[in-house]
Amino acid sequence: MLDLDAWAIFAAVADARSFTAAAEALGVSKATVSKAVARLETRLGQALFHRTSRRLALTEAGRPLADHARRIIAEAQAAEEAARAGADGLSGRIRLAAPLAFGIADVAPLVAAFLLAHPQVEIDLQLSDARVDIVADGFDLALRIADLPDSSLRARRLCGVAAYLVASPAYVAAHGAPAHPADLVRHRLLGYTNVPGPWRFSGPDGETSVRPTGPLVANSGDALLPALLAGLGIARLPDFILGAHLATGALVELLPAWRAAPIGLHLLTPPSSLRPARVEALIDWLATGLKP
């Protein structure tokens, strides 16, 4: 028979990187944790951890098995919750990652409404423009605004997010406005590293691209705003960051005839197709609420 307890304990140790921390998280003794991992190692015929007095690390064999263990436990939990959901309603904890500014403006209100509709659910909303490792960091789902590389994650494109090329009126007065994307090489450009690579444009002359160089790069669009408003350069940022500043005239759009392709808003989940009912419900809620 499959030793589910041992697999669950192994996954907890892999995530906590500590036998002691895993035991505390599971509410069992450290001896129970040690015996379960030893039992699994014996069954598999290979070591799962390198143990020293100072650190604990997964072996080469243990690293891929840790992902399998997480999926086994997640699918078992999903099966239990699916059985309970019909009678008891949705309950339990969901870990959700989202970009900072977009999370505050668009995701947080949807999360609040979801919690009102499902009072037995708890949500751990983590907002950061840094790219998170969904599986290793234990997230149930993540929203990401980017062109996605190939990966084992399951991705669902919700919509496009418009991006605009902007500067302050003071910058335009001091340096002039570009008439063509090729003119940007003579300007000070502020880089948004969450959308790496050159800036690509489509317009009257076809397609062209420019690689931004200038005095500031940041992985947060909000961090570029003070420099933009102070007239230090030109940036290309998503509309959810720029909207209020464009409306007040604090920033002006440049090259309106040259459009950047919309950046995709994607909803990412771990590789398994079997998810807890509460997570499926939040996915549907976000997909409906975030579509234009």
Side-chain angles (χ1 to χ4, degrees):
M1 295 291 291
L2 185 64
D3 191 345
L4 282 174
D5 285 345
W7 281 101
I9 289 172
F10 166 55
V13 175
D15 290 338
R17 297 179 176 86
S18 163
F19 278 62
T20 301
E24 291 175 355
L26 295 171
V28 299
S29 68
K30 183 179 177 183
T32 298
V33 170
S34 297
K35 288 177 183 178
V37 171
R39 192 166 69 242
L40 189 58
E41 289 178 326
T42 299
R43 180 169 182 152
L44 297 173
Q46 52 195 332
L48 299 174
F49 294 102
H50 293 300
R51 303 167 177 83
T52 69
S53 59
R54 294 188 175 182
R55 64 189 297 265
L56 183 77
L58 287 162
T59 63
E60 287 295 322
R63 275 197 288 272
L65 287 174
D67 288 337
H68 285 299
R70 294 182 185 104
R71 285 197 289 272
I72 289 169
I73 303 310
E75 292 185 2
Q77 290 173 338
E80 285 189 2
E81 291 187 16
R84 292 198 307 265
D88 303 332
L90 300 177
S91 64
R93 189 166 179 263
I94 304 172
R95 296 200 75 218
L96 167 64
L100 180 59
F102 182 74
I104 293 171
D106 294 82
V107 179
L110 289 173
V111 165
F114 183 84
L115 292 174
L116 284 172
H118 303 287
Q120 300 304 313
V121 173
E122 300 174 1
I123 294 180
D124 177 1
L125 175 60
Q126 296 291 315
L127 301 180
S128 172
D129 287 329
R131 185 165 294 183
V132 300
D133 185 327
I134 296 176
V135 174
D137 295 336
F139 285 99
D140 296 293
L141 63 155
L143 291 162
R144 192 168 291 168
I145 300 172
D147 294 325
L148 297 180
D150 292 336
S151 77
S152 62
L153 300 176
R154 300 173 70 87
R156 176 178 174 182
R157 192 179 192 276
L158 300 182
C159 62
V161 177
Y164 296 94
L165 191 73
V166 298
S168 70
Y171 179 89
V172 174
H175 302 280
H180 188 278
D183 297 338
L184 291 172
V185 297
R186 296 187 291 274
H187 284 267
R188 296 161 64 84
L189 308 181
L190 310 179
Y192 182 39
T193 56
N194 269 21
V195 185
W199 294 350
R200 293 183 173 85
F201 300 90
S202 297
D205 298 342
E207 295 185 354
T208 187
S209 63
V210 176
R211 188 167 293 277
T213 58
L216 177 64
V217 296
N219 70 345
S220 166
D222 288 295
L224 295 179
L225 282 174
L228 265 177
L229 295 169
L232 293 177
I234 296 172
R236 192 177 72 174
L237 291 171
D239 56 2
F240 61 84
I241 292 177
L242 298 174
H245 301 287
L246 287 171
T248 63
L251 295 173
V252 294
E253 184 182 2
L254 306 176
L255 299 176
W258 291 84
R259 289 294 184 188
I263 310 164
L265 169 62
H266 296 86
L267 195 153
L268 278 70
T269 56
S272 173
S273 60
L274 184 58
R275 291 182 286 267
R278 64 182 183 275
V279 175
E280 289 285 5
L282 181 58
I283 288 172
D284 291 341
W285 190 278
L286 293 173
T288 299
L290 292 173
K291 281 185 178 178

